[in-house]
Amino acid sequence: MKTIPIRRTAGAVAVAAVLPLGLAGWSATSAVGDTRAEDPFGPACASVPAEGPGSLAEMAKQPVATAASNTPALSTLVTAVQKAGLAGTLNDARDITVFAPTNEAFAKIPKAQLDKVLNDKAALTKILTYHVVGQKLTPQQMENGTFPTLEKSTLTTSGSGESYKVNGTANVVCGNIATANATVYVIDTVLMPKS
């Protein structure tokens, strides 16, 4: 699959990249070549399809929860968002950042524990809203940042160039992806609020 350069265009920031990453299992292989500050980056960005559902052009037109639903690598996240009843909230929000765990990130959680959380709406909502920041974050802001989450606590970010971590444990595998209403950073670990 070929890599597609992403460019910002009037209003519809090449958001497509945002959750289009559900392809080819998010293998950490080749990173996107020469990137500009506003371009998506990270090894999993190479798996963004050239056209059709999950492509940059389609993602750019969709709000974040809808975009995620067209991304196979985010199917567990989409299921969790639906169980928590948050799809409408995320689609209606404006100028947010979503840290989107891949299916592999959820697979790191023991099955019994994951099943329990998926069936506890309050706990699930707390975890999912911890992955959302109420402003669009640029890579520069993430170099050494602390941000309030919709869950009402904070998360931290660090890194530079094309290498970023969230809370010191989750790696950004494809970041700075735009959807119609959000910037998305796809991560390889589910973030857990402190309490």
Side-chain angles (χ1 to χ4, degrees), residues 15-173:
V15 38
V18 45
L19 299 157
L21 312 150
L23 305 126
W26 299 91
S27 60
T29 51
S30 61
V32 174
D34 298 323
T35 57
R36 300 179 319 161
E38 69 271 12
D39 288 341
F41 60 86
C45 293
S47 62
V48 175
E51 56 188 39
S55 69
L56 298 181
E58 290 303 311
M59 291 291 174
K61 303 171 189 174
Q62 301 169 337
V64 67
T66 302
S69 70
N70 291 316
T71 305
L74 299 176
S75 61
T76 306
L77 174 62
V78 170
T79 297
V81 166
Q82 291 170 344
K83 284 184 172 262
L86 293 173
T89 300
L90 291 173
N91 278 345
D92 291 342
R94 291 290 169 256
D95 298 328
I96 59 174
T97 294
V98 175
F99 292 96
T102 63
N103 294 343
E104 288 80 1
F106 280 99
K108 292 179 183 179
I109 301 170
K111 185 174 180 348
Q113 183 182 351
L114 179 60
D115 289 345
K116 182 177 179 183
V117 170
L118 288 173
N119 289 302
D120 181 340
K121 188 174 179 179
L124 187 57
T125 299
K126 182 176 180 68
I127 291 168
L128 293 174
T129 55
Y130 184 64
H131 288 75
V132 183
V133 171
Q135 70 185 79
K136 286 188 176 181
L137 299 178
T138 65
Q140 293 73 26
Q141 289 173 298
M142 290 184 46
E143 288 177 1
N144 184 20
T146 300
F147 305 99
T149 68
L150 295 189
E151 179 267 335
K152 307 240 185 282
S153 60
T154 59
L155 56 74
T156 61
T157 58
S158 61
S160 63
E162 294 189 1
S163 178
Y164 291 88
K165 284 191 175 286
V166 183
N167 286 352
T169 57
N171 296 298
V172 173
V173 296

